[in-house]
Each structure stands twice: as C-alpha cells, then as structure tokens.
Amino acid sequence: MSEDPFVTHRGLLFTVAYEMLGSAADAEDVLQESWLRWADVDRGQVRDPRAYLVRIVTRQALNHLRTVSRRREDYVGEWLPEPLLTSPDVADDVELADNVSIAMLTVLETLLPTERAVFVLREVFDVPYDEIAEAVDKTPAAVRQIAHRAKDHVAARRPRVNVDRTEQAEVVAKFVAAVNSGDVQALMDVLAPDVVSVADGGGLVRGAARRPIVGAEKMARYLVGGLAKLDQPFVASAIWVNGQPGVRAEVAGELVGAVSVVVEDGRISRIFSIANPHKLAWLDEESALTR
C-alpha cells in the first residue's frame, strides 16, 4: 500500500505553512486542520495531490494569518518569528535557507496576508500563477500584480548580503566565544559599528530590551552587563537556526533563548534574539524544512 500523499509531502506542507506564519506552533495547527479537510476529499478526483495539498494548506494558513495578525498587534515589545533547530543539510539549499531565515521571515511580516502567501508560493516554491490564483481566490492576472508588488517590497527590505555558510559559522563562533568570556572588546570586534539588535521577550523575560539597540559599543555593554547580573552560569553554543549558523543560550543548563544573525563584511550587522519561553519549544529537535 502506497504512503498517503499528505505524509509524503508533510515536510513541504509544514515549510509552506511556517513560511506564511513565522510560527511552528501555528504551522502545526494549520497542518492538523488541513489533514481533516484532506481526509474528506475524494482522492479519485485529485489529479495532482501535491498541488492540491499546497492549496489546502495555503487557504488554512491565510485564515490563520488573518487571526494571528490581530493578536500580534497587542504583542508586548518586538515580535520575532519562532526559531527552529535545523540540520546543516537545510543550508545546502541556499535559496531555501535564505528564505526561512529569521531575517527574511521578519521582512515577510511586513507584507499583507495575501501578499505573503503569493510571495512564498511563487518565490520560494515556484508554484505556477494559475495554481496560486486558485489557492488565494484571485485571478492569475491579479496574482501576477500581487507577486510583483510583494517582490519589490521584500527586495527593498531584505538583507543584501551574500555570505557563505563557512564565513557565517566563523563569525558566529567568534561571537559565541566573546559572549562566553564576557569580553566587551572582543564583542565589539565582531559587531558592525552600526549593528542593530532586536529582542523578543514577549513581555515575559526580564532584561529583554523592548526596543532595538543600535551600535556595537552600546550592544556589547548591554549584553555583558546583563550577563554579569546572572547568579547562575550562562553558556552560549553554536547551533543551526532556520538554516543558518546561530546561537543557543542556556542558564544553569536550561534553554533561555536563541539568536540568529546577519553577517556583512565579516561582522554581525543584525542580531535577532528570541527569549519568549513560548517560542523556544522547537529548539530541542530538528525540524524538517524542504521544498
């Protein structure tokens, strides 16, 4: 007996939902809802199960996105995507790794729900315009316009950097060593002068800045000063976060945060720190992201 198409394509469907929502928990909810709808479908009438399932997931994710976007308006402090522990293999697909990075997902948050769905399906998964049109209940001509508008919007905001994974891993390793040693100068050496740091504590984490911190010296002193106040041992370690070299932070052996960075010219230009405990559930087991 052949495997159910939903099971076969589950990795792809999760990735589509996660790209649209920026939340693994919400993506799992969408997959559950999509599975229930798929269970009621007459399979004999489905010519292309993969395309059909992507359409179901897109519609469910759009419904979810409209609901959570209202919830995010009331969020305390900065809202960042839910980080995923990924295998180094995800980075082999450079385009996918770039598109699921925390930096890119943060840019996608600035799109309207339909724009985000169209962008993700077209630019990340190369879905034909007519199939996208069916998924978002628009005409193919309208979808082309939305895709063009969304692509321009994202291009104006996404980090314009081409850093190979080896260089990024080396920079992250220097950052980890500097953080663990509490060396302000070593931190300033690895941070770009105009580095921007954004933290997401969800209003639940003491010490998580509610507004972006700008500048290497300010960021280095803020970080080292905060760690000095801890009365238990802090350890940073390098992991793969959303297809990119990132950082896992622990206090007394307990996970307290994840960090994703953007590297430019050998230094860190952007820092995304997720400390909201409700967003850390996906950092102990690798998530399968695929196209």
Side-chain angles (χ1 to χ4, degrees):
M1 184 176 175
S2 61
E3 192 171 52
D4 188 291
F6 193 98
V7 177
T8 303
H9 300 299
R10 196 185 192 287
L12 163 72
L13 300 176
F14 175 82
T15 308
V16 170
Y18 176 70
E19 270 274 304
M20 285 184 60
L21 295 162
S23 163
D26 289 340
E28 280 294 335
D29 287 344
V30 162
L31 257 60
Q32 291 293 329
E33 293 159 6
S34 299
W35 166 254
L36 293 175
R37 279 157 180 75
W38 173 245
D40 290 335
V41 169
D42 179 357
R43 310 295 166 83
Q45 301 299 310
V46 178
R47 291 195 305 276
D48 184 344
R50 182 181 185 275
Y52 193 94
L53 286 165
V54 167
R55 189 157 68 241
I56 293 176
V57 166
T58 298
R59 286 177 174 167
Q60 295 306 312
L62 266 174
N63 291 339
H64 218 80
L65 193 56
R66 290 175 182 126
T67 301
V68 298
S69 61
R70 289 191 291 273
R71 196 168 72 213
R72 288 173 192 173
E73 288 173 6
D74 300 325
Y75 198 77
V76 177
E78 300 283 338
W79 189 96
L80 290 175
E82 197 171 3
L84 301 179
L85 177 67
T86 53
S87 75
D89 296 346
V90 173
D92 292 341
D93 184 341
V94 176
E95 191 176 12
L96 175 63
D98 286 343
N99 278 297
V100 298
S101 69
I102 296 294
M104 183 59 166
L105 291 174
T106 303
V107 173
L108 294 187
E109 280 294 311
T110 64
L111 291 170
L112 296 171
T114 301
E115 289 176 335
R116 185 165 183 171
V118 170
F119 180 89
V120 166
L121 293 179
R122 184 63 191 165
E123 296 299 321
V124 185
F125 299 97
D126 200 28
V127 176
Y129 287 113
D130 57 339
E131 290 184 23
I132 299 175
E134 285 189 55
V136 300
D137 293 323
K138 303 282 185 185
T139 65
V143 164
R144 284 177 184 274
Q145 287 186 323
I146 293 169
H148 181 72
R149 187 168 67 239
K151 188 175 181 180
D152 285 349
H153 178 98
V154 170
R157 291 162 177 79
R158 76 186 301 175
R160 294 183 183 84
V161 291
N162 289 306
V163 180
D164 66 50
R165 295 295 174 260
T166 303
E167 181 186 351
Q168 180 141 353
E170 289 172 354
V171 173
V172 167
K174 289 179 185 175
F175 178 71
V176 166
V179 169
N180 282 331
S181 68
D183 187 331
V184 172
Q185 186 57 52
L187 265 173
M188 288 175 60
D189 289 344
V190 80
L191 299 176
D194 58 350
V195 63
V196 177
S197 175
V198 178
D200 176 350
L204 303 171
V205 179
R206 200 171 139 203
R210 294 193 180 183
R211 291 186 178 84
I213 296 173
V214 181
E217 183 172 2
K218 191 174 181 182
M219 180 57 201
R221 295 196 182 284
Y222 176 85
L223 189 53
V224 171
L227 295 177
K229 293 174 185 174
L230 295 175
D231 55 5
Q232 293 177 299
F234 172 90
V235 176
S237 56
I239 58 170
W240 287 86
V241 179
N242 289 54
Q244 316 244 342
V247 181
R248 177 186 175 99
E250 296 182 356
V251 172
E254 293 291 323
L255 173 65
V256 295
V259 177
S260 179
V261 302
V262 174
V263 173
E264 295 181 70
D265 301 323
R267 289 184 166 188
I268 293 171
S269 61
R270 294 286 183 277
I271 300 174
F272 302 97
S273 304
I274 300 99
N276 182 339
H278 299 312
K279 292 187 176 184
L280 303 178
W282 296 80
L283 289 169
D284 288 321
E285 187 175 336
E286 288 179 0
S287 294
L289 297 176
T290 185
R291 290 198 288 178

